[in-house]
Amino acid sequence: MGLFSFLSGSNSNDDAPQFAWKSLEDIATLEAIIEASSNKPAVIFKHSTRCGISKMALKQFEKEYPKNHEDDLYLLDLLEHREISNAIAEKFNVVHQSPQVLVVRNGHSVYDASHSLIDAATTQRILHTR
């Protein structure tokens, strides 16, 4: 990796496995997440593509979260879909933050964390707690 690639955070290795996010791009998907969470809880990661802190939190989360998981992990691009973030704040009674991670179970947010408090291990532990 060259110095420019290192400094910009890009990696020329296109064969590297990508993290398995599901995209959250509309209210219908949010409603489906809420409904399905009665059977299988889900994680929503709210990410601002223009924020260095958000990028760092996302990369750290992806680095620490187990690669062989079968969890439902949804990524929300806040800049493209602010209305969904507003709906999340309203439906789950959480203050909007960026970056922010939520665990949704039985139609409710049972956990949320933002900024430096986002932790992949804690998120996964809470996701799998009955």
Side-chain angles (χ1 to χ4, degrees):
M1 176 185 302
L3 180 61
F4 178 75
S5 296
F6 175 76
L7 293 175
S8 68
S10 66
N11 186 344
S12 61
N13 185 0
D14 291 334
D15 295 332
Q18 299 297 311
F19 197 81
W21 290 108
K22 296 178 182 183
S23 195
L24 176 50
E25 297 179 347
D26 54 51
I27 297 294
T29 302
L30 177 60
E31 294 296 337
I33 293 167
I34 292 168
E35 187 169 325
S37 73
S38 295
N39 296 320
K40 185 177 182 185
V43 172
I44 297 173
F45 194 108
K46 295 169 44 180
H47 171 57
S48 171
T49 56
R50 288 190 207 142
C51 174
I53 293 170
S54 188
K55 182 177 182 179
M56 184 175 63
L58 179 63
K59 283 184 177 253
Q60 189 66 28
F61 187 92
E62 291 175 342
K63 179 181 172 187
E64 294 176 355
Y65 207 90
K67 302 299 181 248
N68 60 346
H69 71 84
E70 294 183 12
D71 302 329
D72 287 340
L73 305 178
Y74 291 87
L75 185 63
L76 172 63
D77 178 340
L78 293 172
L79 299 179
E80 292 291 321
H81 305 288
R82 181 58 194 247
E83 74 283 359
I84 299 171
S85 179
N86 293 341
I88 288 169
E90 183 179 322
K91 289 179 185 294
F92 298 127
N93 197 27
V94 295
V95 175
H96 164 76
Q97 297 285 328
S98 171
Q100 185 175 38
V101 67
L102 296 94
V103 174
V104 180
R105 178 183 293 113
N106 295 322
H108 302 282
S109 173
V110 295
Y111 171 76
D112 69 278
S114 64
H115 296 84
S116 63
L117 297 178
I118 294 173
D119 179 72
T122 301
T123 301
Q124 190 182 42
R125 180 179 49 78
I126 291 170
L127 182 68
H128 293 282
T129 301
R130 301 266 178 226

